[in-house]
Amino acid sequence: MSWQPQYRSSKYRHVFGKPANKESCYDCVPITRSVQDNHFCAVNPIFIAVVTECAGGGAFLVIPIQQSGKLDPHHPKVCGHRGNVLDIKWNPFNDYVIASCSEDTTVKIWEIPKHLLNKNLTNPSKELLGHTRRVGLIEWHPTASNIIFSTGYDYKIMIWNIDNDDPVIYSPVRTIECHKDVILSMSFNTDGSLLATSCKDRIIRVIDPRQGTVIQESNCKTHKASKVLFLGNMKMLLSSGTSRWNNRQAALWDQNDLSVPLHQEDLDGSSGLIFPFYDCDTNMLYIVGKGDGNIRYYEVCSQKPYLQYLNEFRSSLPQKGIGALPKRGVDVSTCEVFRFYKLVTIKSLIEPVSMIVPRRSESYQEDIYPMTTGTQPALTAHEWLSGINRGPVLVSLKPGSKSAPCQVEVTREEPKFPIKEPKLVHEVKMPTKTLWEIEYKTEIIREDRSNKKAFERLQDTKQAMSNGFDIFECPPPKTENELLQMFYKQQEEIRRLRDQINQRDVQIKQLELEIKNKRNSTASY
């Protein structure tokens, strides 16, 4: 039996939630009073969309994310539905396209103009007609462009391909009819080859969306699931719901075996619904309660005890709904790793809450910002429908980074390498030298640095080079593991060269100081 320490090292142990100040909040927002168990808010790095109250139909607001403060009561709305809007989702590959579903049994796709809205938007770019009862949930495919899933109170999941010029689409490419009650949530795995659903019959199902067949089905009577979520590349599912004694509970499942949960975590005895959010870059799980003011967060690991409780953000303002900003929109200069937008109905307020890793350094922290999902689709709609699977296209969050996106064919859990701190350069007392020796050494060091810069410029202009490696001698990485190993080797080499440059700078300053002292001493004689 191997010994395990009582305390586990983690760089996210001290993550804390920081609410925005009053100037950065969005005030006087008429948030919907619907009792539907949805987020009612969708966020991307450019816009915030919020379902709002509207007489004679359904509508939602699209607010530029930089336009904080008091909202104009005559702010333009997106109001083309004839019934209440129940769910909204931004297109992950186009920040100006949003989908909405409604009680009027339709799904509509909207294109927000780049010059922003100056009047109400009533004409959608596409309308999807197929459901016979109200549509409660929509989800975009995570890697294929122009594929959207919808589910309604007719117990059906419909897959739509909107990659065509038809303004109205009457038939989906596939309809999944394996549920016997209302579907409460949908979640994709990383490459979108599997779909997990939770249903009002309290059964969790893992479905092959292209075939429409059920691969796994839960049969646990001690946990009643209401929301389900794929945990990135960890091959696990998380469900939130209630226990046998009606306590709020979260459960972890093996996606290949849903017979018994791996772990069950009782939260509290409140009655509000739980919304889970997972950040696959940091392996952090956030649990948000509807009607609560707090946000609990955990770190997920692949071995027991699976869930490591970190901390809890507490607030006196209860949230009716909540939106999560994609990772590509966080502020890396403040070490922000996640951001929520809380809908506070009692104050008609949208309050941003940033989850921050406390760091003293103001430089970019590479260890907490691995490559994350970008805005480039990995597949076309036709490729995905024909049976091809690909992981998401990853990009770097480093400011000014111009590296090409990385295509991950087979996604795996990202290895965590320890980040070495740069060595401190201590001042070294140089022995006394003659003036000629000092000037000669200084000239050699300067010449060496100029030669090194010229060599680097030559390497940059060389055609057969890619990221510092000769593509003929060192082929490009084929897997995510090889890419990460190459990336961290380059980072170590950059740190080593920076240390050498710092040491050279110190030597040059010392030699220049000695030259000055020698000249002063000779001038005095």
Side-chain angles (χ1 to χ4, degrees):
M1 184 176 178
S2 61
W3 177 82
Q4 292 187 356
Q6 184 177 2
Y7 298 102
R8 191 175 60 88
S9 174
S10 171
K11 53 190 139 187
Y12 306 109
R13 283 181 61 189
H14 304 291
V15 171
F16 66 95
K18 182 181 179 181
N21 53 29
K22 190 175 181 181
E23 290 77 17
S24 300
C25 294
Y26 305 84
D27 203 0
C28 300
V29 181
I31 302 169
T32 181
R33 302 183 186 278
S34 172
V35 295
Q36 184 81 6
D37 290 331
N38 282 339
H39 297 160
F40 298 122
C41 180
V43 190
N44 67 24
I46 301 177
F47 296 110
I48 304 172
V50 184
V51 181
T52 183
E53 288 293 313
C54 180
F60 59 94
L61 295 167
V62 175
I63 307 169
I65 204 165
Q66 302 297 336
Q67 188 180 318
S68 57
K70 190 173 182 180
L71 185 71
D72 184 359
H74 301 292
H75 187 86
K77 299 177 181 178
V78 181
C79 50
H81 285 285
R82 297 186 301 275
N84 291 332
V85 175
L86 300 182
D87 197 13
I88 49 176
K89 291 285 177 11
W90 287 104
N91 188 334
F93 310 119
N94 189 339
D95 289 337
Y96 292 90
V97 174
I98 188 171
S100 62
C101 62
S102 168
E103 291 180 350
D104 61 7
T105 74
T106 65
V107 178
K108 296 180 188 289
I109 312 297
W110 309 86
E111 291 185 3
I112 307 302
K114 294 191 177 181
H115 55 78
L116 307 183
L117 292 175
N118 50 22
K119 62 179 181 179
N120 288 348
L121 183 61
T122 57
N123 296 320
S125 61
K126 289 190 184 297
E127 190 171 359
L128 314 180
L129 304 176
H131 288 279
T132 57
R133 298 184 65 185
R134 58 181 175 173
V135 186
L137 287 171
I138 47 176
E139 285 288 345
W140 293 91
H141 194 275
T143 60
S145 61
N146 297 316
I147 294 288
I148 187 169
F149 285 57
S150 65
T151 178
Y153 281 67
D154 52 6
Y155 312 157
K156 296 177 183 178
I157 298 176
M158 294 188 179
I159 307 174
W160 305 87
N161 179 11
I162 60 172
D163 190 12
N164 54 52
D165 298 328
D166 299 333
V168 181
I169 302 175
Y170 293 96
S171 58
V173 293
R174 177 167 290 281
T175 301
I176 302 173
E177 301 183 18
C178 59
H179 298 84
K180 300 177 182 178
D181 211 328
V182 178
I183 299 163
L184 302 177
S185 68
M186 297 187 293
S187 176
F188 288 98
N189 65 342
T190 306
D191 61 3
S193 60
L194 295 176
L195 176 70
T197 63
S198 62
C199 186
K200 207 170 182 180
D201 59 9
R202 305 304 183 186
I203 296 177
I204 299 172
R205 296 173 176 87
V206 176
I207 302 168
D208 183 345
R210 282 173 292 219
Q211 301 296 327
T213 56
V214 178
I215 300 174
Q216 288 287 332
E217 195 173 89
S218 70
N219 188 20
C220 180
K221 298 181 180 179
T222 61
H223 176 77
K224 301 176 182 178
S226 58
K227 299 289 181 184
V228 68
L229 191 66
F230 264 105
L231 298 185
N233 304 318
M234 303 193 73
K235 295 185 182 291
M236 289 195 292
L237 293 170
L238 179 122
S239 64
S240 62
T242 57
S243 67
R244 183 182 295 173
W245 297 277
N246 285 333
N247 291 326
R248 294 200 294 188
Q249 187 183 67
L252 276 172
W253 308 78
D254 182 356
Q255 74 176 34
N256 298 319
D257 182 13
L258 298 182
S259 57
V260 179
L262 296 173
H263 177 72
Q264 291 178 324
E265 182 91 4
D266 285 338
L267 302 174
D268 53 39
S270 300
S271 59
L273 187 72
I274 294 175
F275 297 122
F277 294 88
Y278 180 69
D279 182 4
C280 60
D281 296 334
T282 61
N283 291 336
M284 286 183 65
L285 171 70
Y286 302 89
I287 293 180
V288 183
K290 185 177 180 180
D292 301 349
N294 57 350
I295 300 174
R296 298 179 180 89
Y297 40 100
Y298 300 78
E299 190 169 6
V300 184
C301 52
S302 57
Q303 298 176 351
K304 288 184 179 180
Y306 300 111
L307 285 180
Q308 292 283 345
Y309 176 77
L310 295 176
N311 210 333
E312 181 178 3
F313 167 76
R314 296 185 178 183
S315 171
S316 59
L317 300 176
Q319 59 254 3
K320 180 183 180 64
I322 197 160
L325 181 70
K327 197 63 174 287
R328 56 191 170 88
V330 299
D331 184 4
V332 297
S333 64
T334 60
C335 296
E336 181 185 40
V337 292
F338 213 76
R339 190 191 303 171
F340 292 101
Y341 286 82
K342 293 175 53 176
L343 304 185
V344 184
T345 311
I346 58 175
K347 288 195 171 184
S348 299
L349 181 74
I350 303 176
E351 180 187 34
V353 177
S354 298
M355 313 307 293
I356 296 174
V357 179
R359 294 283 174 96
R360 291 184 179 180
S361 175
E362 296 180 358
S363 61
Y364 177 73
Q365 305 294 310
E366 296 171 358
D367 58 327
I368 61 175
Y369 293 115
M371 296 185 75
T372 189
T373 305
T375 57
Q376 181 179 340
L379 294 164
T380 63
H382 177 72
E383 287 175 336
W384 183 79
L385 291 171
S386 64
I388 301 175
N389 292 323
R390 285 199 193 116
V393 179
L394 305 181
V395 295
S396 173
L397 294 178
K398 189 171 184 177
S401 174
K402 297 182 181 179
S403 59
C406 167
Q407 174 65 55
V408 180
E409 290 291 338
V410 181
T411 54
R412 299 184 181 90
E413 187 178 356
E414 296 182 359
K416 297 178 175 60
F417 296 94
I419 303 300
K420 295 182 181 179
E421 295 292 333
K423 295 180 181 179
L424 295 176
V425 180
H426 300 284
E427 290 189 0
V428 181
K429 293 185 178 180
M430 302 291 291
T432 307
K433 300 180 180 67
T434 64
L435 180 61
W436 180 85
E437 289 177 341
I438 294 171
E439 290 179 344
Y440 179 75
K441 270 204 166 185
T442 306
E443 194 65 27
I444 289 175
I445 292 174
R446 285 177 177 164
E447 187 176 348
D448 186 28
R449 291 185 67 181
S450 63
N451 290 338
K452 190 174 182 180
K453 289 181 179 178
F455 178 75
E456 288 176 352
R457 287 195 295 268
L458 182 64
Q459 292 295 99
D460 290 338
T461 56
K462 192 176 180 182
Q463 294 295 325
M465 297 296 286
S466 174
N467 291 333
F469 289 90
D470 192 336
I471 61 175
F472 299 108
E473 296 178 2
C474 180
K478 297 180 180 179
T479 65
E480 182 186 10
N481 233 2
E482 293 178 4
L483 176 71
L484 284 171
Q485 288 178 4
M486 187 175 293
F487 172 74
Y488 284 112
K489 283 181 183 177
Q490 288 182 345
Q491 296 302 313
E492 287 296 325
E493 182 68 18
I494 290 171
R495 289 193 193 92
R496 189 179 65 78
L497 292 174
R498 283 176 180 167
D499 289 344
Q500 289 182 0
I501 291 172
N502 291 335
Q503 291 175 1
R504 294 287 176 89
D505 289 339
V506 171
Q507 291 179 6
I508 288 173
K509 288 181 181 178
Q510 290 174 346
L511 292 171
E512 288 177 346
L513 184 62
E514 289 191 14
I515 290 172
K516 186 177 180 181
N517 292 336
K518 286 284 182 181
R519 285 175 176 167
N520 290 339
S521 61
T522 54
S524 62
Y525 289 110

